[in-house]
Amino acid sequence: MTRGTNGTNARRGFGDWVWFCVLAVMVMFAGLVIGVLGPLLAISCSTCQDGVGDVRGGDTLLVLAQGVVPLVTLGTILAIFLPKGGTRAAAVGFGVLVVLFVVMQVLGA
């Protein structure tokens, strides 16, 4: 995004909008992967007979996967396209999604 002569933000150009669309698609893909594969990886057990281990926080794991991850993904996508959003909002959203993924893995261990 370019700056105007008085320090305010100028209008977004075509390249800015393309970049924001790429970021939005990347956030949607990350949210999908974390929402689907996160719980599956959390409950998997290579030494168990049926491949599924004992889950300590099963209900919390489902709430994170079905509620929190989609809300964070949607909020991040909306924040990307806000006038003051953009790359910083995408970075924060990716960070929150990674933290949620780690929390899912800890709950399933």
Side-chain angles (χ1 to χ4, degrees), residues 54 69 107:
D54 294 330
V69 170
L107 285 174

Side-chain angles (χ1 to χ4, degrees), residues 5-76:
T5 56
N6 60 357
T8 61
N9 291 335
R11 294 188 69 167
R12 291 181 175 168
F14 179 72
D16 293 329
W17 288 108
V18 169
W19 173 242
F20 291 149
C21 288
V22 168
L23 284 175
V25 169
M26 288 173 33
V27 168
M28 284 189 335
F29 181 72
L32 177 72
V33 168
I34 291 171
V36 172
L37 292 181
L40 294 176
L41 291 173
I43 65 171
S44 67
C45 175
S46 61
T47 59
C48 301
Q49 184 175 356
D50 59 355
V52 177
D54 294 330
V55 180
R56 288 184 290 162
D59 293 335
T60 308
L61 193 64
L62 286 176
V63 167
L64 286 175
Q66 293 179 351
V68 178
V69 170
L71 286 175
V72 168
T73 303
L74 179 65
T76 302

